[in-house]
Amino acid sequence: MNRNKFFFLVLILLLSAVGFFFISPNEKSIDDRIIDYKVDLASSDLALYWKNDSSKIIKSIQNLKTFVENKNLKLLFAVNGGMYNANNIPQGLYIENFKTLSPIDTTSGSGNFYLKPNGVFYITADNIPVICKTEDFINNGHIKYATQSGPMLIIDGQIHPELKEGSTNLQIRNGVGILPDNRVVFAMSKTKINFYDLAMYFKSQGCRNALYLDGYVSRTYLPEKDWKQTDGDFGVIIGITKPLTN
């Protein structure tokens, strides 16, 4: 190998190394920026929580953890489950144990909730998970849990048309999607990301429909991945439990 070729190869290697160390966080694989939890509702107990048995709003994941442990349950996973208004009241539809505790909101307004189409994540009496656009939601009396939020991230396999690639609107964000095998996938960003990148995560997983839950206030409790955020000041919280064993 002559000297010119040798120096050329060295230069290429040096430039590659510099490029590696100066990669922007936003250029990392979306999977590296997401913590997720995939669950089969046929074998797992998912519930939506808002108030405890004394009608006091639970608010934080720590309070939820204490609440379920007092019922001899172990909290495996928890995440905030949608937006809320003043006094931690769910924004839009909220159904718990077949009771509608907050009505569906089909109006227009400002903010992420109203970035149409928004949508509903719900669980049927047969533990079938569904995500649909708000306009397509029908309460047939067999819906055990439901929470409304917005915007939709994935609609029939396509990214919401209002979500822009490269957007500088960055926040911690979380959402929920339905996988091709009908499992539910919850995802939360470890760092600030835009809506498009969060939607791309769900699309990469094969989700036909996915829904944004909330932004910078979001928290996730997932001890199996050593992710234990137990604070928060929420309305609805989604939790997955199993019986405590002695």
Side-chain angles (χ1 to χ4, degrees):
M1 180 183 292
N2 63 41
R3 180 175 294 180
N4 287 338
K5 287 184 177 179
F6 174 77
F7 282 120
F8 177 75
L9 288 173
V10 170
L11 179 61
I12 293 296
L13 290 172
L14 286 172
L15 290 174
S16 297
V18 170
F20 174 81
F21 285 111
F22 284 93
I23 289 176
S24 164
N26 288 334
E27 293 174 354
K28 291 181 180 179
S29 165
I30 184 61
D31 288 347
D32 294 336
R33 292 182 279 152
I34 292 289
I35 184 165
D36 63 14
Y37 184 75
K38 298 170 183 176
V39 59
D40 183 355
L41 299 190
S43 57
S44 298
D45 188 7
L46 182 149
L48 271 59
Y49 301 88
W50 180 30
K51 296 180 179 181
N52 62 21
D53 295 337
S54 301
S55 296
K56 184 177 180 180
I57 298 174
I58 295 172
K59 293 187 179 181
S60 75
I61 293 176
Q62 180 59 57
N63 289 342
L64 176 62
K65 187 172 181 291
T66 301
F67 176 68
V68 300
E69 286 174 354
N70 287 336
K71 296 179 177 294
N72 204 37
L73 298 172
K74 180 178 181 179
L75 188 64
L76 302 177
F77 170 82
V79 68
N80 52 298
M83 299 179 191
Y84 48 94
N85 294 311
N87 300 320
N88 303 82
I89 297 172
Q91 183 169 9
L93 180 68
Y94 179 58
I95 296 174
E96 182 180 321
N97 289 321
F98 303 100
K99 296 180 180 179
T100 300
L101 302 182
S102 179
I104 197 164
D105 184 349
T106 59
T107 64
S108 297
S110 59
N112 294 330
F113 182 91
Y114 294 106
L115 185 54
K116 301 292 184 70
N118 54 14
V120 177
F121 167 56
Y122 66 91
I123 308 296
T124 70
D126 298 323
N127 284 331
I128 304 299
V130 182
I131 293 173
C132 69
K133 294 184 290 185
T134 294
E135 62 198 65
D136 296 334
F137 177 79
I138 298 174
N139 188 351
N140 59 8
H142 298 287
I143 295 173
K144 188 175 183 180
Y145 295 107
T147 182
Q148 184 182 7
S149 193
M152 290 283 288
L153 297 171
I154 303 293
I155 308 163
D156 297 328
Q158 301 300 315
I159 294 177
H160 190 302
E162 296 297 323
L163 308 185
K164 304 304 180 185
E165 185 174 5
S167 169
T168 57
N169 179 13
L170 307 177
Q171 284 291 354
I172 296 293
R173 305 184 192 277
N174 69 329
V176 58
I178 309 296
L179 295 166
D181 61 5
N182 221 35
R183 287 183 300 160
V184 179
V185 55
F186 296 96
M188 185 176 124
S189 66
K190 299 175 183 177
T191 60
K192 293 181 179 182
I193 62 173
N194 59 37
F195 276 116
Y196 187 91
D197 285 351
L198 181 59
M200 273 299 298
Y201 165 79
F202 287 105
K203 186 174 176 64
S204 73
Q205 298 295 307
C207 296
R208 293 283 299 167
N209 292 286
L211 178 67
Y212 176 67
L213 291 174
D214 211 340
Y216 68 96
V217 300
S218 298
R219 299 290 189 271
T220 293
Y221 177 77
L222 185 50
E224 74 173 35
K225 293 186 178 180
D226 198 28
W227 194 271
K228 301 177 184 178
Q229 296 177 322
T230 57
D231 58 333
D233 186 19
F234 306 127
V236 178
I237 304 176
I238 299 169
I240 295 173
T241 61
K242 71 174 184 179
L244 279 171
T245 54
N246 295 324

